[in-house]
Amino acid sequence: MTASFLRMGLACWLAACGLGAQTRQQQWDSLREKKAEGLRAPERKGLEKALYEVKEQHLMERLMAGWHGFHPTFGGLHTGSGMALGTEWRQERLAGGILDLRAAGRVSLKHYEKLEFQVGLPRLRNEHLFLDFTMTYRNLPQEDFFGLGPKSRQQDRTNFRLEDTTYLGRLGVRGWRKKLALGMHGGIIAANAGPGADPRFASTETVFHSRNTPGLELQPDYYQVGAFGQLDWRDEPGNPRGGGNYLVQWNTFGDRNKSQYSFRRYEAEVQQYLPFFNLRRVIAFRAKTSLTDTSPGQAAPFYMQQTVGGSEDLRGFREFRFRDKNLMVYNLEYRWEVFSGLDMALFGDAGKVFPQRSDFNLEHLEGAYGLGFRFNQAKAVFLRIDIGRSREGMRFFFKFGHVF
């Protein structure tokens, strides 16, 4: 009898446990079904929704696609020129697919002007050989000038007008999957520097003099010859998230009529992009230098000397804040995707100008740091906002296109 009761009790206990387990499983299943019914796709609102539509619907690409070869353009003028708008006309793959034609005009709110015309043969020999000719006219009415050298002062700010026309031809070859380009170029430059148009500041020639500012009184015409090499294996040149871009260039500028202002210039630039988190995070680095060499009795005119400061390098300083024969610049950015259509960046900049090659070192670098916003389309950044800070305060920059 006792054994019978034990068997019956054990059977009831097992049945109850099974029923309880089954009941709990049914409860869990029911809860999951209710939760699944309540799930909704995440909703984008406000700016995120607008930028997502711009990027996913390719609205910027449609806008830039143009009409009968005409395309609107934004920016593309000298840094510091203000908001610039214009139009560009392009016809590609003419004459059996080998000829490209391009003409463009831009003007800014500060009355800066730029006109370009280009004839290109970029697809010769199955795209392994390229040849092009470009004519460029620029009118830059209020370029800032603070004096030459790394110790120039803010309070010495002046402005000048620079007007130049350049005729330049290039011939080159491509190799290694068309990522490597080697070539030479040559042309003529006609330049003129005159009184600045910004009434807030003195015109440069009223403050500085030709003894410490070469080219202030006399502006020669130039012939230019040089060579270049570039290895570009970035995944998307307009908004890179991986790869690198390495450039070296040599130029000789010969004074055609004054015999006083001939010089040579050697330039090198390295860009490297290190992606992680499925390309949603990128560490971007750039280093560049430019060295100018002059023969005895010759000088590089002030308006053709190198500058740092502004939206393209030292973003805590004004445009062209420092100017001299030589420069070095380092930029480091940590970029991350906030949502589709918007990236942000933390950046640090360092650089300097210097008169002698012996000053090519890491001493006395100017520094800047800040935060950036990059509004992008599928393959390019169409608007960049950078907020930089340096020992001279804070600067805000609104630019069309990426910094590098």
Side-chain angles (χ1 to χ4, degrees):
M1 180 68 69
T2 301
S4 177
F5 276 113
L6 288 174
R7 284 194 297 271
M8 292 177 61
L10 180 60
C12 291
W13 181 76
L14 291 172
C17 289
L19 181 61
Q22 183 180 12
T23 302
R24 285 194 296 274
Q25 184 62 44
Q26 291 174 345
Q27 292 174 345
W28 282 112
D29 290 343
S30 177
L31 288 173
R32 277 195 293 268
E33 290 175 0
K34 290 181 179 179
K35 185 176 181 179
E37 292 174 357
L39 288 177
R40 296 181 180 179
E43 294 184 6
R44 297 180 174 86
K45 298 180 179 180
L47 178 62
E48 181 181 4
K49 182 178 180 180
L51 292 177
Y52 178 82
E53 291 297 324
V54 168
K55 184 173 182 179
E56 298 303 318
Q57 300 299 322
H58 303 285
L59 298 183
M60 290 301 298
E61 290 88 341
R62 294 179 184 178
L63 173 64
M64 302 304 292
W67 177 78
H68 291 281
F70 289 92
H71 309 261
T73 59
F74 306 92
L77 278 177
H78 212 37
T79 181
S81 62
M83 180 73 70
L85 301 173
T87 186
E88 179 180 270
W89 174 82
R90 294 196 306 265
Q91 291 291 331
E92 299 177 345
R93 299 185 178 277
L94 303 174
I98 64 170
L99 176 66
D100 291 353
L101 298 177
R102 174 178 170 270
R106 296 176 175 88
V107 64
S108 79
L109 297 179
K110 293 183 179 180
H111 306 293
Y112 280 60
E113 300 171 323
K114 184 177 182 180
L115 301 175
E116 294 176 284
F117 177 74
Q118 184 177 51
V119 179
L121 299 168
R123 290 173 290 275
L124 299 173
R125 294 288 183 178
N126 196 28
E127 300 189 17
H128 290 295
L129 179 67
F130 61 91
L131 172 67
D132 58 56
F133 170 79
T134 305
M135 186 280 288
T136 304
Y137 166 79
R138 301 186 307 169
N139 179 25
L140 319 176
Q142 49 188 66
E143 297 288 272
D144 286 341
F145 182 70
F146 298 84
L148 296 178
K151 296 183 179 180
S152 62
R153 305 184 305 169
Q154 287 191 83
Q155 57 266 38
D156 292 334
R157 181 180 178 184
T158 63
N159 77 113
F160 67 97
R161 176 188 296 272
L162 177 62
E163 187 176 19
D164 59 23
T165 304
T166 302
Y167 306 88
L168 187 67
R170 298 191 312 155
L171 172 66
V173 296
R174 295 189 184 93
W176 194 61
R177 302 178 182 177
K178 301 175 185 176
K179 301 180 185 298
L180 176 65
L182 302 172
M184 61 185 68
H185 50 246
I188 296 173
I189 303 172
N192 177 60
D198 190 342
R200 300 174 299 165
F201 304 98
S203 189
T204 298
E205 79 281 358
T206 66
V207 176
F208 296 91
H209 48 79
S210 58
R211 293 191 302 274
N212 58 12
T213 311
L216 187 60
E217 295 181 356
L218 301 174
Q219 297 90 42
D221 294 338
Y222 281 96
Y223 68 82
Q224 175 187 353
V225 294
F228 62 91
Q230 182 178 22
L231 176 60
D232 186 354
W233 54 291
R234 294 171 293 178
D235 53 358
E236 292 293 348
N239 188 17
R241 297 181 180 274
N245 183 28
Y246 317 126
L247 175 67
V248 292
Q249 189 166 228
W250 158 78
N251 279 289
T252 289
F253 297 90
D255 180 345
R256 298 178 60 203
N257 44 25
K258 308 298 181 184
S259 301
Q260 299 179 44
Y261 299 109
S262 296
F263 61 96
R264 295 167 296 278
R265 178 164 291 157
Y266 310 92
E267 299 174 275
E269 181 170 345
V270 173
Q271 302 174 14
Q272 189 64 55
Y273 306 89
L274 304 174
F276 56 102
F277 287 165
N278 196 27
L279 302 180
R280 295 182 181 273
R281 304 286 189 273
V282 179
I283 294 176
F285 171 76
R286 177 176 68 175
K288 67 177 182 177
T289 187
S290 176
L291 304 175
T292 300
D293 180 41
T294 56
S295 299
Q298 302 291 313
F302 79 98
Y303 53 86
M304 294 183 72
Q305 294 193 26
Q306 301 288 45
T307 65
V308 297
S311 63
E312 307 302 321
D313 37 59
L314 288 181
R315 285 165 281 186
F317 294 90
R318 290 186 177 277
E319 291 86 354
F320 319 121
R321 177 61 185 85
F322 304 99
R323 186 187 300 256
D324 213 321
K325 292 168 60 179
N326 311 292
L327 70 77
M328 59 192 313
V329 170
Y330 303 94
N331 305 105
L332 181 64
E333 294 198 350
Y334 169 60
R335 303 169 179 172
W336 72 95
E337 182 181 282
V338 179
F339 46 75
S340 181
L342 175 64
D343 291 353
M344 292 184 65
L346 295 174
F347 63 80
D349 305 328
K352 67 176 182 178
V353 297
F354 48 99
Q356 305 296 331
R357 291 192 184 184
S358 58
D359 296 319
F360 185 83
N361 53 50
L362 298 180
E363 299 177 1
H364 309 298
L365 293 176
E366 297 286 354
Y369 61 91
L371 176 68
F373 301 83
R374 284 71 192 275
F375 301 90
N376 54 66
Q377 53 196 48
K379 296 183 178 182
V381 169
F382 66 84
L383 177 64
R384 169 170 58 94
I385 301 174
D386 281 337
I387 306 169
R389 186 172 182 82
S390 72
R391 64 178 176 84
E392 292 188 351
M394 187 173 293
R395 302 295 301 165
F396 295 82
F397 299 100
F398 297 82
K399 302 292 292 185
F400 295 103
H402 224 322
V403 60
F404 68 93

